[in-house]
Amino acid sequence: MKTFRIKQNIVFENDDFLAINKPAGISSLHERLGEAISIIELVKSINEEYQLCHRIDKDTSGVLLISKHKQAYIQASKTFEKRKVKKLYHAVVDGVHTFENLTINLPLITTRSGRAAINHQKGKPSTTSINSIENFGHYTLVACEPITGRQHQIRLHLASQHASITADTVYGGKLPYLSKLKRNFTTNKTDEESPMIARFVLHAYSLELPGLNEEPLHIIAPYPNDMEVFVKLLRKYDKPNF
């Protein structure tokens, strides 16, 4: 991926916090293997006092909150710990679904392979609220609010509803191809068709939380280019059948 620059991707800033729109493909924290740069390293290169207030998965894009000083970090940590933060994710899922305030309660564990799994005996309580935003002919744009924050929680909870995130091949999602939607689609005989989007379509869209002086913060991260283009293609070529 292209070099990511923190300052060019700030979506919110005040005296206590800044928030960035993290792209997919870059880790929030140091990676165990390899030498790939992480968000925390980029943040520390700007100011050593800056700290990540939470994290989002490497292959998920979206809003990431950063504290500018110790007091702000302590405040944010308590807010996240007490679940006083409203996190909203947007995802495109396979299939046409009408979710209306659906609450999924399925206990999750992390397996040795690093994947999440439903386990009613050993799993930790995990809750996600889901609402449909827009239906297409073969896909649905959904909003997901994770009440808890387990690894891969949204991905597995959606998959449990036969609504795997598009291109999330780990949890049953399928790669989307324009040839399946566009009539008379052609490509060069020597070229293999590329999917409309190459990573699973999950984006941390917004954060709502009290600031340092209890002033409410509502931070939104616009869709990254790959997701925005994908949704536009669905609106153009995958019109609903009703």
Side-chain angles (χ1 to χ4, degrees), residues 21-33:
N21 193 354
K22 186 190 87 66
I26 182 169
S27 295
S28 300
L29 303 175
H30 299 289
E31 294 194 293
R32 294 179 182 178
L33 300 174

Side-chain angles (χ1 to χ4, degrees), residues 52-93:
L52 300 191
C53 298
H54 62 121
R55 61 180 293 272
I56 53 178
D57 289 343
K58 179 178 181 178
D59 293 317
T60 301
S61 58
V63 62
L64 192 60
L65 188 67
I66 298 161
S67 63
K68 289 185 171 182
H69 53 81
K70 185 176 181 180
Q71 188 177 359
Y73 177 73
I74 292 172
Q75 163 76 11
S77 296
K78 290 179 179 178
T79 301
F80 276 91
E81 184 179 349
K82 295 178 180 179
R83 296 179 183 172
K84 292 183 178 181
V85 180
K86 181 176 181 179
K87 295 179 278 186
L88 198 64
Y89 287 71
H90 284 188
V92 176
V93 300

Side-chain angles (χ1 to χ4, degrees), residues 109-177:
I109 60 169
T110 301
T111 66
R112 291 181 179 179
S113 67
R115 298 182 182 182
I118 298 168
N119 189 307
H120 291 280
Q121 285 74 42
K122 299 180 180 180
K124 294 181 179 179
S126 307
T127 305
T128 308
S129 176
I130 302 174
N131 284 279
S132 296
I133 300 174
E134 185 175 356
N135 288 118
F136 306 102
H138 300 83
Y139 301 91
T140 306
L141 178 65
V142 298
C144 307
E145 181 185 352
I147 309 304
T148 53
R150 312 300 179 199
Q151 180 172 308
H152 299 178
Q153 174 179 312
I154 294 174
R155 297 166 66 186
L156 190 52
H157 277 181
L158 283 169
S160 76
Q161 305 303 304
H162 306 288
S164 295
I165 296 175
T166 301
D168 188 3
T169 55
V170 171
Y171 295 107
K174 298 177 181 178
L175 292 172
Y177 291 97

Side-chain angles (χ1 to χ4, degrees), residues 160-196:
S160 76
Q161 305 303 304
H162 306 288
S164 295
I165 296 175
T166 301
D168 188 3
T169 55
V170 171
Y171 295 107
K174 298 177 181 178
L175 292 172
Y177 291 97
L178 189 56
S179 60
K180 302 282 180 130
L181 308 176
K182 184 179 179 182
R183 292 182 180 180
N184 303 318
F185 176 87
T186 57
T187 184
N188 294 331
K189 293 182 179 180
T190 56
D191 292 338
E192 185 176 347
E193 183 185 0
S194 298
M196 289 186 281

